[in-house]
Amino acid sequence: MKTLMTTAMAAALLAGCSTTTNDFPQLQYEAGAVIDSGEFGNATMNNIMVHSAQEEYRVNLARRFASEVDSTVNFEFNSAALDADARQILARQADWIRQFPEVHFRVYGHTDLVGSQAYNRRLGLRRAQAVVAFLTSQGIDRSRLEAVASFGETQPLIATNDRERRNRRTVTEVSGFVESNPLVLEGKYAQVIYREYVARATAAVVIDEATAAGG
């Protein structure tokens, strides 16, 4: 009788201590794999960028660019040619970009929903490349400009299957920093901010004096 009870108790204890893969999935992997989940390195990199002011400065620049300059140009149907309005907008973009030699910019190309997705993706990329070529002609270093991404017809501003000029566009955005720039390598982002602050303050004084002079 004692033997039967002991056997039953042992079986119960073993059952209670056994685990399934659903209870503790981390036990199936090496230490740290579940905590990492493939994103720990990205989080660490982002943390370093924030503490060095790099990421915060990039975000602030991106917001300023979008608020101070028209970041979008539009195109005729099935065309990557830049019209007069597009060239004026891009000339202003180039003036703004020249202020920040430490910064990378990326140009995204879009189309409307007419035509196949594959064709529109190629067309969107051609539009982005046309913008990069124009900015380069305005004295912007080609290495600071990217036209590698095209959303084709997948991100329309206006949801319609018909021709829509507002969907046929490129968008220029701040994307990061030039890695070879001395200020970036040395983490001296404050110098960039100060330089640009002084330039804007000087421009404001000139404007105020002109206003005071009248006529």
Side-chain angles (χ1 to χ4, degrees):
M1 188 68 173
K2 287 184 177 180
T3 302
L4 290 174
M5 291 181 62
T6 302
T7 304
M9 291 175 63
L13 288 171
L14 288 172
C17 292
S18 65
T19 60
T20 65
T21 55
N22 293 328
D23 294 328
F24 300 100
Q26 64 268 37
L27 297 180
Q28 304 174 61
Y29 308 101
E30 64 272 16
V34 175
I35 297 176
D36 187 342
S37 70
E39 299 177 354
F40 180 75
N42 291 333
T44 302
M45 178 182 67
N46 184 68
N47 188 47
I48 292 172
M49 291 175 70
V50 169
H51 282 287
S52 67
Q54 182 176 168
E55 181 64 9
E56 179 182 359
Y57 184 49
R58 185 194 67 79
V59 171
N60 289 340
L61 272 183
R63 289 172 178 164
R64 276 196 50 198
F65 181 74
S67 65
E68 296 180 6
V69 182
D70 193 345
S71 60
T72 301
V73 298
N74 298 103
F75 295 81
E76 294 298 324
F77 181 73
N78 195 32
S79 173
L82 300 171
D83 60 18
D85 289 339
R87 290 173 180 273
Q88 287 182 359
I89 292 171
L90 292 176
R92 290 192 291 271
Q93 287 187 18
D95 289 340
W96 203 99
I97 291 172
R98 274 193 293 269
Q99 299 178 64
F100 301 95
E102 306 84 6
V103 182
H104 265 303
F105 289 79
R106 182 171 295 154
V107 181
Y108 297 95
H110 301 261
T111 70
D112 58 26
L113 275 68
V114 178
S116 70
Q117 188 172 31
Y119 180 84
N120 283 339
R121 188 168 290 275
R122 292 192 298 271
L123 176 59
L125 183 57
R126 292 206 325 267
R127 287 171 173 166
Q129 290 169 337
V131 168
V132 166
F134 182 87
L135 293 175
T136 301
S137 74
Q138 300 297 296
I140 308 301
D141 190 333
R142 177 65 180 81
S143 65
R144 297 175 54 210
L145 303 168
E146 296 179 86
V148 298
S150 169
F151 289 111
E153 60 184 20
T154 60
Q155 293 190 3
L157 288 178
I158 309 299
T160 175
N161 291 321
D162 297 328
R163 297 184 181 187
E164 175 53 61
R165 179 175 173 82
R166 285 169 292 182
N167 290 338
R168 301 192 299 266
R169 69 197 191 281
T170 61
V171 180
T172 307
E173 295 182 357
V174 173
S175 62
F177 291 86
V178 178
E179 293 181 1
S180 61
N181 188 278
L183 293 182
V184 175
L185 288 174
E186 297 175 10
K188 296 180 179 178
Y189 305 107
Q191 289 188 17
V192 182
I193 298 170
Y194 180 73
R195 180 201 68 208
E196 190 260 343
Y197 169 79
V198 171
R200 289 172 61 83
T202 302
V205 170
V206 172
I207 292 174
D208 289 342
E209 291 178 349
T211 302

